[in-house]
Every structure is written in structure tokens, then in C-alpha cells.
Amino acid sequence: MRENGKITVFLLDDHEVVRRGVHDLLAVEPDIEVVGEAGTAAEALSRIPATRPDVAVLDVRLPDGNGVEVCREIRSQDESINCLMLTSYADDEALFDAIMAGASGYVLKAIRSEELLSAVRDVAAGKSLLDPVATGRVLERLRGEGEPKGDERLASLTDQERRILDLIGEGMTNRAIGERLHLAEKTIKNYVSSLLSKLGMERRSQAAAYVARRQAERD
């Protein structure tokens, strides 16, 4: 968020009419500022790191790739950028990929204007918009793939790392976790790196899916 308090947004969509429509919708809001646009994955990957938006609204299907790949690449470089996937098609495969890439939300282009504005604001605040029913189907698939026993790995975590792991499972960013625990974002990043290493994982999206699996097993 900029010093003026506005939520900064970057738009990626290969259809100019759609992109312009979303731009015009967001630009009139007093608390939102569109800081960049792109029509291809390559353009987005070169422009998003420079603008460092709070939210990247990413079209899933692109002529030179897809928004999920952009999301994965961007968040591997800067986890403070929250990604909202925007697509015309609803399917479990794309949702699965979006969750594993670390996206905070997945919405259809048929969404109403007010709902899209709410989605952007919620994602900027560190909330997850992933539909619980659809996410449940994805978790069933993940469970079917098998995983090492979790209790042994969890036992190696400190109490603070366990708390942070739970907050990752809630979809919170490092910045949001830092605010919750009154710690610097850099400190949280170090904790996250440590707990991922102990769990044998490379990405926080894997940790989030792991927490969700354990919760589903308890329920």
C-alpha cells in the first residue's frame, strides 16, 4: 500500500476491452490505484516486480503462457504481492494449479463489479478468497497423492513456527503475520524459511495446503 493509503493493483489480461473495463472499474475507487497493465505473461513478469503492487489481477489463459505461471514466478520473488486469478473458465485443474502457485483468490469474469472490488480489497488485506467447496475437492486430490507422516515433522517446529504455520494456513502473508505477532516482516520471512526447511518444503503454498489437509483430516 502506498503512502497515500491506496491499494495498488496491476492488471494482466490479453483482451484489451476486458483489461480496460477492469481498469476503469478500479480507477474510480478512491482507495485503489492501478499502477500497471500487461497483455502477455512476458510483459507482466517484467513489469510487476518494478511496480510492486499490493494485488496482481491475473488472467489465467494467455497467448504466451498463463496467469498461474506468472503468479508462481512473481510470488517466488516477492511474497508481499497477492495474486487474484481472473478467468472465464471454472475447472478443478486450474484451481489446483492456482492454489499451489500461492494465489489468494480465484474468481470468474462473470463476477459482479461490487464483488470484484470486494475481492481486490480482501486479497490486499491478506485474506484468502478460495471457495471452500472447490478447495475441498483439491485437497481430496492432494490427499490421494500421499504424503509423509506429518506429526514427526511438526514435532521439529518451535512453538512460534507452529503459530506461523497455522497463520500461513489461514492465507496470511508475511506482512500480515508480522503485524499479528508484532514482529518485523523480515523476521517472519526467516521463520518461514526455517519451518519450510524442517517440513521438507520449498514454497509457502505447500505449507498452506499441508495445514488444510491436516484440518480436513481432523474434521
Side-chain angles (χ1 to χ4, degrees):
M1 194 172 292
R2 297 291 165 90
E3 293 181 358
N4 59 14
K6 290 188 176 184
I7 297 168
T8 55
V9 179
F10 189 99
L11 304 176
L12 168 60
D13 198 299
D14 61 323
H15 295 99
E16 184 182 357
V17 172
V18 174
R19 198 169 68 243
R20 181 166 296 183
V22 176
H23 178 283
D24 291 347
L25 172 68
L26 298 177
V28 297
E29 296 298 307
D31 61 331
I32 297 176
E33 177 184 357
V34 179
V35 294
E37 297 181 24
T40 66
E43 289 176 350
L45 289 172
S46 66
R47 295 176 184 173
I48 291 177
T51 56
R52 294 198 68 205
D54 297 309
V55 179
V57 179
L58 309 173
D59 188 11
V60 171
R61 301 193 179 189
L62 299 165
D64 63 334
N66 64 69
V68 172
E69 294 170 354
V70 174
C71 173
R72 182 180 295 109
E73 180 64 27
I74 291 301
R75 286 189 55 80
S76 70
Q77 298 176 26
D78 189 344
E79 290 183 343
S80 71
I81 299 175
N82 300 301
C83 297
L84 177 63
M85 312 311 298
L86 187 62
T87 180
S88 302
Y89 312 94
D91 65 84
D92 286 357
E93 190 68 29
L95 176 60
F96 173 83
D97 290 342
I99 291 173
M100 298 312 294
S104 298
Y106 184 96
V107 296
L108 296 177
K109 290 183 179 178
I111 191 172
R112 292 185 304 173
S113 299
E114 297 81 5
E115 293 173 336
L116 179 57
L117 290 171
S118 295
V120 168
R121 293 184 176 111
D122 286 346
V123 168
K127 298 178 182 178
S128 173
L129 302 181
L130 295 168
D131 176 68
V133 175
T135 302
R137 291 198 299 268
V138 171
L139 296 179
E140 285 295 329
R141 172 178 164 181
L142 284 171
R143 250 198 306 279
E145 293 176 355
E147 65 170 0
K149 286 187 177 180
D151 292 340
E152 297 174 6
R153 295 184 294 171
L154 284 176
S156 68
L157 301 184
T158 65
D159 289 343
Q160 188 75 297
E161 287 170 345
R162 286 288 297 272
R163 280 192 287 271
I164 292 172
L165 177 62
D166 288 338
L167 294 175
I168 290 175
E170 294 178 17
M172 296 180 67
T173 62
N174 286 352
R175 180 169 54 187
I177 294 173
E179 292 173 356
R180 172 77 65 86
L181 300 180
H182 307 292
L183 294 170
E185 185 176 351
K186 185 176 181 180
T187 300
I188 298 299
K189 188 173 183 179
N190 291 336
Y191 273 119
V192 172
S193 295
S194 175
L195 71 87
L196 288 179
S197 176
K198 291 179 180 179
L199 293 174
M201 299 174 183
E202 296 179 359
R203 301 181 185 280
R204 64 185 294 126
S205 57
Q206 293 174 290
Y210 171 72
V211 173
R213 284 199 298 274
R214 291 186 58 81
Q215 290 175 339
E217 288 166 0
R218 287 197 295 268
D219 297 342

